[in-house]
């Protein structure tokens, strides 16, 4: 039994190491296009082991999405259902979303790539798990905010795109920072400045005019 | 001389047809990953001809970026330098930017892909031609708007990312429309609703509080 336990732990550890290697490579190269061989090499295992754990590249991408996004999804659901003003909760969400993209700058591109390469039934289940709860959470927050007179009336579907695009873009279009501003990395100060500006623009735009 | 003229016209026409074929395929498949062979087949010419006009996939992508973006760049420069309130000009720009992404939904992904695959000198020249003028234009509009008391003081560098991300996302993440809302195409009504919401959120967020 003891050796079986250790085996299981080893397996879980190897799987985690492979996911982290994929994540690190995607961040280092600023692209998703990493081969299973390169991921295996980074961990020092055989590429067959990557196929054993994840099946193929799509399986690995889905496991990585799950690893990166699941904790944030739980936090978001808690935020949507907690007490407190919608303004305060939206403020908190904007900052959390930018922190998430800061940590995993490939995240939006990862979802796009999965959606494009997965068979439609699988794409639907990924959407149901990771997109629908966010869209529905926005609808709850925006409806509550409007009914309390804090927010303007806005369409939650369109809001979803405005927010995720605005919060992600500095991370997915980092080349503009490099080639226009000579900034090669987004450090914590820049991240915080981006949060502040997103709050200034988006949250202020959402707030109902004072009467 | 007459036949030389016709030849030149034919060449320009074939080149245009190849670019349009690439553009149509990228829109139809919602991805950039189209082979030179597929583009040639759509026009009914040999793939060698695609290489003759564009060299390789990167050359074709750069020619397509130039075709899609150059008219908008000129319009943007005119807008930046024209008379009229910064609010009115920013309003006009938001609508134009969303119209541009509506027409060429692959545009942001095309720039990312070029920046990632081009040698850095070439990437720098693309940035100087297509990104720097936009960033600088934002700086002019935002500075003028703040000095006239219309806008809050915001960082034009961060603004660039917020705006381009917000305006692009509904087009580059269309799968969310499909799998969450059952909407398979962005029609003109949806585009106009997106423009209205971007104005509501972003432009109102930018406006200085009334005193």
């Amino acid at each position: 039994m003891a050796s079986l336990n250790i085996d299981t732990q080893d397996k879980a550890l190897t799987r985690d190491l492979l996911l982290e290697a994929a994540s690190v490579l995607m961040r280092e190269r600023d692209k998703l296009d990493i081969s299973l061989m390169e991921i295996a090499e980074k961990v020092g295992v055989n590429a067959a082991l990557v196929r054993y754990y994840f099946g193929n590249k799509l399986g690995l991408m889905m496991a990585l999405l799950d690893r990166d996004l699941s904790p944030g999804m739980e936090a978001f659901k808690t935020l949507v259902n907690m007490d407190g003003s919608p303004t305060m909760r939206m403020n908190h969400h904007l900052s959390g979303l930018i922190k998430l993209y800061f940590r995993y700058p490939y995240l939006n591109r990862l979802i796009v790539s999965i959606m494009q390469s997965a068979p439609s039934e699988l794409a639907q289940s990924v959407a149901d798990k990771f997109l629908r709860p966010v869209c529905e959470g926005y609808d709850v927050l925006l409806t509550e905010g409007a009914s309390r007179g804090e927010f303007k009336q806005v369409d939650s579907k369109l809001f979803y795109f405005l927010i995720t695009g605005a919060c992600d873009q500095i991370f997915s279009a980092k080349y503009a920072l490099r080639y226009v501003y000579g900034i090669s990395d987004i450090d914590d100060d820049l991240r915080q400045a981006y949060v502040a500006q997103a709050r200034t623009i988006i949250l202020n735009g959402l707030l109902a005019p004072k009467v």
Side-chain angles (χ1 to χ4, degrees), chain A:
Chain A
M1 281 305 278
S3 83
L4 184 69
N5 261 334
I6 289 168
D7 253 27
T8 312
Q9 277 180 11
D10 274 1
K11 277 187 183 175
L13 181 64
T14 306
R15 192 179 180 280
D16 288 351
L17 286 174
L18 288 168
L19 286 179
E20 179 58 15
S23 177
V24 168
L25 286 169
M26 286 176 189
R27 274 174 276 169
E28 280 174 359
R29 300 192 190 165
D30 196 18
K31 56 169 74 169
L32 302 181
D33 192 16
I34 315 282
S35 72
L36 297 187
M37 177 73 85
E38 290 167 310
I39 294 164
E41 268 172 15
K42 195 159 177 94
V43 177
V45 300
N46 194 296
L49 210 57
V50 188
R51 269 185 286 277
Y52 168 78
Y53 284 113
F54 305 105
N56 52 24
K57 183 75 187 285
L58 177 61
L60 178 121
M61 291 198 299
M62 287 185 43
L64 186 60
L65 183 68
D66 198 52
R67 185 201 80 157
D68 292 350
L69 211 45
S70 292
M73 295 294 293
E74 287 312 305
F76 178 69
K77 285 176 197 166
T78 304
L79 189 70
V80 169
N81 295 309
M82 73 191 277
D83 289 335
S85 79
T87 302
M88 178 276 288
R89 283 181 281 159
M90 189 59 82
N91 218 334
H92 198 80
H93 171 61
L94 283 178
S95 148
L97 190 60
I98 290 173
K99 197 174 239 169
L100 186 70
Y101 291 137
F102 174 68
R103 210 165 158 192
Y104 309 118
Y106 52 77
L107 207 49
N108 252 359
R109 283 166 285 165
L110 186 65
I111 304 180
V112 172
S113 181
I114 288 172
M115 288 290 167
Q116 284 177 338
S117 51
S120 67
E121 222 170 289
L122 193 58
Q124 183 64 58
S125 76
V126 172
D128 289 343
K129 185 169 180 188
F130 294 111
L131 304 180
R132 188 179 301 281
V134 179
C135 293
E136 289 175 352
Y138 282 162
D139 198 51
V140 170
L141 280 180
L142 292 171
T143 304
E144 192 184 327
S147 77
R148 287 166 65 154
E150 290 180 32
F151 296 162
K152 302 180 184 112
Q153 295 243 356
V154 296
D155 179 316
S156 63
K157 169 172 81 270
L158 304 180
F159 189 78
Y160 168 83
F161 293 105
L162 280 170
I163 293 301
T164 51
C167 292
D168 160 73
Q169 191 69 5
I170 196 169
F171 305 105
S172 71
K174 266 203 310 209
Y175 59 86
L177 276 177
R178 186 162 60 244
Y179 289 112
V180 179
Y181 297 104
I183 298 171
S184 57
D185 266 314
I186 301 176
D187 62 13
D188 216 57
D189 287 346
L190 186 56
R191 175 185 70 78
Q192 285 181 28
Y194 202 58
V195 168
Q197 178 126 333
R199 284 178 175 160
T200 299
I201 304 278
I202 296 170
L203 199 69
N204 274 311
L206 181 60
L207 292 181
K210 295 263 189 297
V211 283

